């Protein structure tokens, strides 16, 4: 039976592209969505019309118990998770002077705490089966920082550190842990940015495509990446090298 891949925040943008590429590798793909999201049925139907039999489960990734319950249901319905892509994320951009505690907490909880909450539920099973892939979606701004993104940069930098540390713990048990660090990718999250101006900073002179990042994630999920762990792979058009 094919392995199970779970992508948090898989509906739309980068997450959707990752789901599609993982399905192309033969994984049974599952995604999560925020409880109360009314678009899930339409999204699943749209994916079904394209030939993808994805399943989606409600999960508040900021809440440990919600993550535990979600993984329990996924395990019963589909099977144990072999690949976890921690993709869920939000932004609350503003200068630190204007940033509130709520703005800080929302980004840290969604982008960083979620990595612990979800990984904790699946890691023991991976080590027991002696095969697993943890793939965390970081950001170029977790590597270099960004004006107006103290909260986001802190969360993504935390993901990088956690990935490197976790890789050292689980490598002997057949589990790899890696992070990808995208630059500017054309998604809803970057829709309000001044692309014409920003792309002048990028050696390749364009924003990336979600599919380009998804190819990298799918490679890290495959057997071909079995000797790669603890890495943070930049995919940013040369923006930060």
């Amino acid at each position: 039976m094919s392995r199970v891949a779970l992508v948090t925040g898989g509906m739309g943008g980068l997450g959707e592209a990752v789901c599609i590429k993982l399905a192309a590798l033969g994984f049974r793909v599952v995604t999560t969505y925020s409880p109360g999201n009314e678009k899930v049925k339409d999204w699943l139907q749209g994916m079904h019309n394209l030939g993808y039999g994805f399943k989606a489960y409600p999960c508040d990734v900021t809440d440990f118990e919600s993550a535990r319950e979600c993984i329990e249901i996924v395990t019963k319905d589909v099977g144990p998770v072999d690949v976890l892509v921690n993709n869920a994320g939000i932004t609350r951009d503003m200068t630190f002077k204007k940033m509130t505690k709520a703005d800080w907490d929302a980004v840290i909880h969604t982008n960083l705490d979620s990595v612990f909450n979800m990984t904790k539920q699946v890691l023991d099973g991976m080590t027991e089966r002696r095969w697993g892939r943890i793939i965390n979606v970081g950001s170029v701004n977790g590597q270099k920082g960004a004006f107006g993104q103290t909260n986001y940069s802190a969360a993504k930098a935390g993901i990088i550190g956690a990935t490197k540390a976790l890789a050292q713990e689980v490598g002997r048990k057949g589990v790899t842990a890696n992070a990808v660090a995208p630059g500017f990718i054309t998604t809803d999250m970057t829709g309000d940015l001044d692309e014409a101006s920003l792309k002048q900073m990028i050696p390749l002179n364009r924003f990336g495509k979600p599919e380009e990042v998804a190819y990298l994630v799918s490679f890290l999920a495959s057997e071909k990446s079995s000797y790669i762990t603890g890495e943070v792979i930049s995919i940013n058009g040369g923006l930060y090298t």
Side-chain angles (χ1 to χ4, degrees), residues 104-136:
W104 175 272
D105 287 346
V107 171
I108 296 296
H109 292 335
T110 304
N111 294 36
L112 181 57
D113 290 351
S114 63
V115 172
F116 175 84
N117 293 339
M118 298 301 295
T119 304
K120 190 69 174 177
Q121 315 305 329
V122 302
L123 194 62
D124 284 350
M126 290 180 179
T127 58
E128 289 170 6
R129 296 188 300 275
R130 303 194 69 80
W131 199 97
R133 301 282 190 267
I134 303 295
I135 304 167
N136 298 321

Side-chain angles (χ1 to χ4, degrees), residues 84-87 115 119 134-138 159 162-163 166 177-181:
L84 172 64
V85 181
N86 285 305
N87 170 70
V115 172
T119 304
I134 303 295
I135 304 167
N136 298 321
V137 178
I159 286 173
T163 300
L166 182 62
N178 292 288
V180 299

Side-chain angles (χ1 to χ4, degrees), residues 63-75:
D63 182 80
F64 186 83
E65 283 304 309
S66 179
R68 182 187 62 77
E69 292 171 2
C70 176
I71 295 300
E72 281 189 359
I73 295 171
V74 169
T75 301

Side-chain angles (χ1 to χ4, degrees), residues 150-169:
T150 306
N151 48 6
Y152 185 80
S153 295
K156 294 302 187 178
I159 286 173
I160 289 172
T163 300
K164 287 180 172 292
L166 182 62
Q168 296 181 48
E169 295 184 21

